[in-house]
Amino acid sequence: MPDADDLRALARSSPWLFRTLRFTLRTRRSGGAVRVRLRRPDRLRVEILGGDLLDVVHESPGSGTVVLTSWAGGVAPAPEPPGEPVRRPDGLVAVRPWDRAQAEDPMWQDYGFVALLDPVEFADGRDRDTGEPAGPPLEIGPVREVEHGGRPAWEAVVTTTGSYEPRCSCCSLLHDPDVDRREWGEARDVVYPTASRIRLDVGTGVCVLVEALDGTSAGDGHEVVVEAVDEPMADDLFVPLPRPPGPGPGPAAAPGRQSG
């Protein structure tokens, strides 16, 4: 049976486990779902489930550039591939070769989307004042082997610690009072969950489920269903929509992660 160290290693491993991914994403509050095609390192296509295109993103991971949305004209240059990590005997990652902020998948709507694709915030903690590596970011209960969307997954009930440092504090995967206080101040009148359920797909390391188990946000989270891994994805899937003629509304609204 996997244990907490195994779960942390899987949470570090996503960048080395797949190159393309097709999946559906549903958030608990919106109830809506989208289908996503990701081609690493820098291409993303988002559709409604019926197939109509919502957005195409071209973005260089870790570039710090603004996302080029579906009507953007340019394409950011592809980055150098990530270096080799220190691997465990089972092939999962023990130590990543670069700071997590320096390598990212394309972003859609917010950084919670990037975090669920590469949930390293579950594996390695940070000192919130200095940003230096710190202790484990989560207290992890017993790890269970489960099935999710017909694929093997590992699940655990977890609680954040003082070292939990999300990829972006405005859209963390887990609710944490200190993270929210730093981002939003003291005005938030909520009861924070004492525990959340998380689930990682064993083959990809993607966080396919988050569910707050109690508190004001009980039931909040997301669900991903992986449909295909490393299938060919041609360039014509990632052609941006044409720019509208003059000022007008942006891309069609679609469900994204609900923060808070």
Side-chain angles (χ1 to χ4, degrees):
M1 291 291 291
D3 61 18
D5 284 341
D6 297 325
L7 189 71
R8 293 187 184 101
L10 182 59
R12 294 186 193 102
S13 298
S14 169
W16 295 273
L17 293 179
F18 68 90
R19 303 311 300 160
T20 73
L21 192 68
R22 172 164 50 89
F23 61 94
T24 61
L25 169 63
R26 184 183 304 273
T27 64
R28 296 304 177 95
R29 288 185 179 180
S30 73
V34 294
R35 176 166 286 108
V36 180
R37 288 175 170 85
L38 169 68
R39 190 179 76 183
R40 285 173 162 168
D42 57 2
R43 295 292 187 271
L44 189 71
R45 177 187 176 95
V46 185
E47 308 168 348
I48 64 172
L49 294 187
D52 291 341
L53 179 63
L54 286 173
D55 210 357
V56 169
V57 178
H58 294 178
E59 180 177 295
S60 176
S63 65
T65 58
V66 175
V67 174
L68 300 175
T69 64
S70 56
W71 55 50
V75 177
E80 291 297 317
E84 273 299 303
V86 176
R87 296 182 186 269
R88 307 186 332 162
D90 61 4
L92 295 178
V93 172
V95 181
R96 289 168 69 130
W98 27 247
D99 183 90
R100 68 183 181 199
Q102 295 176 343
E104 297 175 341
D105 291 310
M107 181 177 73
W108 186 64
Q109 295 198 329
D110 64 32
Y111 274 104
F113 179 84
V114 179
L116 70 87
L117 292 170
D118 179 19
V120 68
E121 66 190 59
F122 294 164
D124 300 312
R126 298 284 177 134
D127 184 287
R128 292 172 177 173
D129 294 324
T130 67
E132 294 298 315
L138 305 180
E139 295 180 3
I140 299 175
V143 180
R144 300 173 56 232
E145 295 179 299
V146 298
E147 185 179 279
H148 185 91
R151 295 172 55 86
W154 292 347
E155 175 186 282
V157 173
V158 303
T159 303
T160 58
T161 74
S163 299
Y164 176 60
E165 181 70 3
R167 185 176 298 268
C168 181
S169 56
C170 72
C171 45
S172 57
L173 291 176
L174 300 176
H175 294 282
D176 178 273
D178 291 333
V179 169
D180 278 4
R181 190 175 301 114
R182 182 177 58 189
E183 180 70 20
W184 308 107
E186 301 289 343
R188 308 197 81 198
D189 184 17
V190 299
V191 176
Y192 284 86
T194 60
S196 298
R197 187 188 321 278
I198 66 171
R199 189 177 292 170
L200 303 187
D201 179 79
V202 173
T204 65
V206 169
C207 178
V208 292
L209 181 76
V210 164
E211 181 185 12
L213 295 180
D214 57 9
T216 305
S217 58
D220 190 19
H222 72 263
E223 182 175 15
V224 165
V225 175
V226 174
E227 297 180 328
V229 181
D230 287 339
E231 68 179 356
M233 292 187 181
D235 288 345
D236 58 10
L237 284 171
F238 304 100
V239 176
L241 290 169
R243 179 186 294 273
R257 183 189 180 278
Q258 300 290 328
S259 61

